[in-house]
Amino acid sequence: MKYNIVNEIKLSYSRKGNSEKLVGSSRDAVDVFRQHFDHDEMDYRESFFALYLNQAHKVLGIRKISESGISSTVVDVRIIMQAALLCNASAVILAHNHPSGNLNPSAEDLKITQSIKSASELLNIKLLDHCILTSTDHLSFADEGHL
């Protein structure tokens, strides 16, 4: 039996509502992220988002990477980088929430941030920040010297 069929891969990215939002600080990034997190579930379950920026740090788009349980969520570095490449991002900012209300990064938070940073450096994409959000506050890895 002979197989001559190769699956075609189709990728798409659309810039509907082309944003001119400039992200110049962790506060700017948190403001964007808060518009996309489900406020009703902020204290209930964890979600993880990536914000993609161009060279001038204007927003290209945002993507929910995962949504999961009360104390953790699965984050696949390849999914984050795939979207970054697809929209020609020059920089990425990450965010996830801690339903517990504790702003301190866990060992797993630090580990996944380092993995994403390594992958982004390989692709010449800057990981600018990783923010932890609670319903009332936030912590920026960049501001705290974790990046």
Side-chain angles (χ1 to χ4, degrees), residues 38-47 67 97 99:
D38 184 335
H39 300 291
D40 295 334
E41 293 195 351
M42 192 70 115
D43 295 326
Y44 173 63
R45 69 171 167 180
E46 205 168 293
S47 297
E67 184 175 77
N97 63 308

Side-chain angles (χ1 to χ4, degrees), residues 64-77:
K64 182 186 282 186
I65 303 302
S66 64
E67 184 175 77
S68 198
I70 295 167
S71 61
S72 68
T73 190
V74 176
V75 176
D76 190 330
V77 177

